[in-house]
Amino acid sequence: MSAEPAGTRHHEYVLDEIDRQLLTLLQKDGRLAYSELGNATGLSAGAVRARVLRLQEDGILQVVGVTDPLRLGYRNMAMLAINVDGDIDETADAIGKVDGVIYVILAAGSVDLLVEVIATSSDELYEIINRRLRTVPGVRTVETFMYYRIHTHRFAWGVVPD
């Protein structure tokens, strides 16, 4: 089973202008009420609710609370550059199930996967990288890039126009 959200395996969805408006508004503030979204788009609150639910069901939209792990007690964060032998999807799926892994990217270039991890201590980070991730079948090499802090963390990039 893949650890990625539904709808992220390169499906092309047709969005109309209202969908784009809703996505842009929700990227800026995911807590907007359906009535506020309706006022901004000219739709009723019920029509907005139906569209937002469809966008969620299609895997286009997730409304979540975004946090900074470093401010929540996680003292160590790192990006791992991983090279794989064998089936990259199987290895990525296994890595995605490891506690402490917060995302996995299939990459192009000199590495196969980019993996972000968080830990409450250096000892825990060592455990995640050296005892859990390096032992996943298919993992050939792991290079670790420690974070000092998060400088830019952006989620409102807009929606691609027609």
Side-chain angles (χ1 to χ4, degrees):
M1 171 179 216
S2 175
E4 70 184 354
T8 59
R9 290 206 187 245
H10 309 295
H11 297 309
E12 188 71 28
Y13 293 95
V14 178
L15 302 175
D16 65 16
E17 186 55 36
I18 300 288
D19 292 333
R20 285 186 190 79
Q21 286 179 313
L22 291 170
L23 291 169
T24 299
L25 290 164
L26 289 168
Q27 281 182 328
K28 291 177 185 171
D29 184 354
R31 297 174 297 166
L32 288 173
Y34 294 132
S35 59
E36 293 173 288
L37 292 167
N39 289 339
T41 60
L43 297 178
S44 69
V48 167
R49 180 181 179 278
R51 280 181 178 253
V52 168
L53 289 175
R54 180 185 48 81
L55 292 168
Q56 290 174 318
E57 288 168 1
D58 287 346
I60 295 169
L61 173 67
Q62 287 182 310
V63 180
V64 298
V66 177
T67 60
D68 181 343
L70 297 174
R71 291 179 176 231
L72 293 175
Y74 292 94
R75 297 290 170 240
N76 298 91
M77 246 178 127
M79 180 66 65
L80 309 177
I82 298 177
N83 281 304
V84 172
D85 286 328
D87 188 311
I88 206 166
D89 288 313
E90 285 180 17
T91 304
D93 287 345
I95 288 171
K97 294 175 184 172
V98 172
D99 286 339
V101 170
I102 58 176
Y103 73 76
V104 178
I105 296 172
L106 278 68
S110 62
V111 298
D112 297 316
L113 302 172
L114 295 172
V115 177
E116 189 171 31
V117 296
I118 57 173
T120 57
S121 67
S122 295
D123 289 339
E124 183 184 26
L125 186 63
Y126 177 88
E127 176 74 21
I128 292 167
I129 295 170
N130 293 298
R131 303 278 186 246
R132 297 185 206 152
L133 292 176
R134 286 186 191 273
T135 62
V136 169
V139 170
R140 183 181 46 192
T141 62
V142 178
E143 186 174 359
T144 303
F145 299 90
M146 295 290 297
Y147 293 9
Y148 293 122
R149 66 177 174 262
I150 296 172
H151 184 275
T152 303
H153 200 193
R154 184 174 296 133
F155 291 93
W157 52 80
V159 181
V160 176
D162 273 336

